[in-house]
């Protein structure tokens, strides 16, 4: 079954399962520090792919490379089989929308004006006729329509995140790139935002999302890529990647991976059993440094913690 692309050339069709973006042997360093190390990755139409990993693993850097905002030191990125470097910026903006981790607007634009900025790539095209519909639909979808006359800087962090998601949706592209779209967003709107991303994938779009919440990644993503120190440590279905052994190794944090007794959802929770008994888990960071539960060993030779 084919789907008409959200955005792109009128009448153009895409087939779920076909590659939207291909990353080949990409590496990137800054200041002598390797941030990405020989990354290979394919993002397909009709799927939602989650990038997970600890702080500094390279998730946002990889998303920036995939979006075309960061040029890798080596390797290549292809969008619809064309090298990313060969795309004109306007054409690229009609193919992919990017939600950045930091949502800032320097001037006091209204919420509606901020979302309307997403329609710039479609000026002087047939799609320009859809501007108001696309803006209204996106504002309603993320439940920020009632804020549209407010100036962006006056919003809370979570509201800014939802407005930024609205802007990405209003751009109407076939590829969504979302960097921590649930950061600072409350429980209800986390579900709304990720449901919107899931719907985009189900309608034939390609979605790649950076998430810190592993349970959310498991619930919504078709495939998970676990990054560690700039390299792909594991890739596959949620149950293949989110194992206790892998998470313990990469995050240096003991966890329990189990199924919710009612929904069957895959859950990842810290293993606090020993801490609750006043004993540090033997695999936990600092376990060999005199830590005991939430307190510190009071002996004179214990290490200090800053």
């Amino acid at each position: 079954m084919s789907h008409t692309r959200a955005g792109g050339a009128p009448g153009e069709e895409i087939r779920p399962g076909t590659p939207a973006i291909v990353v080949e042997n990409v590496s990137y360093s800054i200041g002598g520090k390797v941030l990405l190390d020989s990354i290979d990755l394919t993002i397909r139409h009709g799927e939602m792919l989650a990038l997970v990993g600890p702080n500094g693993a390279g998730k946002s850097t990889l998303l920036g490379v995939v979006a075309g905002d960061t040029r890798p030191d080596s390797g290549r990125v292809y969008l619809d089989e064309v090298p990313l470097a060969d795309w004109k910026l306007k054409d690229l903006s009609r193919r992919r929308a990017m939600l950045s981790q930091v949502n800032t607007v320097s001037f006091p634009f209204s919420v509606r004006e901020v979302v309307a900025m997403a329609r710039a790539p479609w000026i002087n095209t047939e799609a320009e006729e859809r501007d108001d519909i696309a803006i209204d639909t996106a504002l309603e979808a993320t439940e920020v329509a009632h804020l549209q006359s407010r100036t962006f800087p006056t919003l809370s962090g979570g509201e800014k995140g939802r407005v930024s998601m609205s802007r990405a949706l209003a751009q109407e592209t076939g590829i969504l790139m979302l960097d921590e779209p649930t950061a600072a967003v409350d429980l209800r709107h986390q579900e709304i935002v990720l449901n919107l991303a899931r719907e985009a994938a189900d309608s034939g779009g390609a979605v790649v999302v950076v998430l810190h919440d592993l349970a959310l990644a498991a619930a919504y993503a078709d495939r998970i890529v676990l990054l560690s120190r700039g390299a792909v440590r594991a890739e596959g279905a949620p149950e293949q990647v989110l194992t206790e052994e892998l998470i313990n190794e990469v995050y240096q944090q003991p966890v329990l991976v189990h199924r919710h007794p009612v929904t069957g959802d895959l859950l990842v929770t810290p293993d606090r059993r020993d801490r609750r008994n006043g004993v540090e888990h033997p695999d936990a960071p600092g376990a060999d440094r005199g830590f005991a539960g939430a307190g510190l060993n009071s002996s004179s030779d214990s290490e200090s913690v800053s």
Side-chain angles (χ1 to χ4, degrees):
M1 179 180 180
S2 62
H3 297 260
T4 301
R5 185 189 299 278
E12 183 180 3
E13 293 187 341
I14 56 175
R15 295 188 304 277
T18 58
I21 295 175
V22 176
V23 179
E24 289 185 353
N25 198 32
V26 159
S27 295
Y28 178 72
S29 300
I30 187 167
K33 179 177 175 57
V34 177
L35 300 183
L36 298 176
D37 186 8
S38 304
I39 300 287
D40 290 306
L41 181 65
T42 299
I43 302 163
R44 300 180 179 89
H45 292 295
E47 78 166 354
M48 182 169 170
L49 182 144
L51 302 177
V52 304
N55 293 335
K59 304 181 297 296
S60 294
T61 302
L62 177 57
L63 197 65
V65 169
V66 168
D69 296 334
T70 300
R71 185 179 293 272
D73 297 328
S74 60
R76 303 189 82 176
V77 180
Y78 297 86
L79 190 156
D80 289 342
E81 301 182 349
V82 177
L84 198 59
D86 293 348
W87 283 85
K88 295 180 179 178
L89 182 58
K90 180 177 287 188
D91 293 333
L92 188 60
S93 297
R94 293 172 182 172
R95 293 292 193 179
R96 62 99 178 98
M98 175 75 172
L99 185 156
S100 300
Q101 186 177 140
V102 179
N103 305 301
T104 57
V105 174
S106 301
F107 298 97
F109 291 107
S110 71
V111 165
R112 187 175 185 87
E113 288 171 331
V114 169
V115 176
M117 293 174 187
R119 301 301 300 170
W122 302 109
I123 293 174
N124 297 325
T125 71
E126 293 179 6
E128 189 175 17
E129 299 177 1
R130 287 188 43 80
D131 283 0
D132 286 337
I133 294 173
I135 294 166
D136 289 339
T137 300
L139 289 168
E140 291 289 345
T142 59
E143 297 189 344
V144 292
H146 66 291
L147 301 173
Q148 61 184 300
S149 62
R150 286 266 301 273
T151 57
F152 188 83
T154 68
L155 303 179
S156 71
E159 288 169 338
K160 288 178 180 177
R162 286 154 52 199
V163 171
S164 296
M165 181 66 177
S166 293
R167 182 167 59 181
L169 293 173
Q171 198 167 330
E172 292 192 319
T173 62
I175 301 171
L176 273 179
M177 301 178 182
L178 310 174
D179 195 354
E180 297 191 39
T182 58
V185 175
D186 62 44
L187 180 63
R188 170 182 171 80
H189 292 101
Q190 286 181 4
E191 292 295 308
I192 288 174
V193 164
L194 290 180
N195 267 304
L196 289 168
R198 182 67 258 175
E199 289 170 5
D202 289 342
S203 67
V207 179
V208 55
V209 55
V210 172
L211 289 171
H212 275 295
D213 190 318
L214 300 181
L216 285 177
Y220 284 95
D222 299 294
R223 194 158 45 99
I224 292 178
V225 172
L226 175 61
L227 294 172
S228 177
R229 299 180 181 179
V232 174
R233 177 60 185 84
E235 176 183 349
E239 59 272 16
Q240 295 173 317
V241 175
L242 300 181
T243 67
E244 293 177 0
E245 293 77 14
L246 274 174
I247 296 171
N248 188 9
E249 172 198 327
V250 171
Y251 287 85
Q252 290 294 288
Q253 168 62 49
V255 297
L256 298 172
V257 177
H258 48 100
R259 295 282 181 181
H260 191 283
V262 176
T263 65
D265 288 343
L266 193 66
L267 302 178
V268 180
T269 56
D271 185 353
R272 305 185 183 100
R273 291 173 297 179
D274 289 336
R275 286 178 178 163
R276 287 173 177 165
N277 293 326
V279 179
E280 186 65 44
H281 194 290
D283 294 328
D288 59 344
R289 296 186 295 175
F291 291 16
L296 295 175
N297 189 319
S298 60
S299 63
S300 59
D301 61 351
S302 64
E303 291 187 30
S304 63
V305 176
S306 58

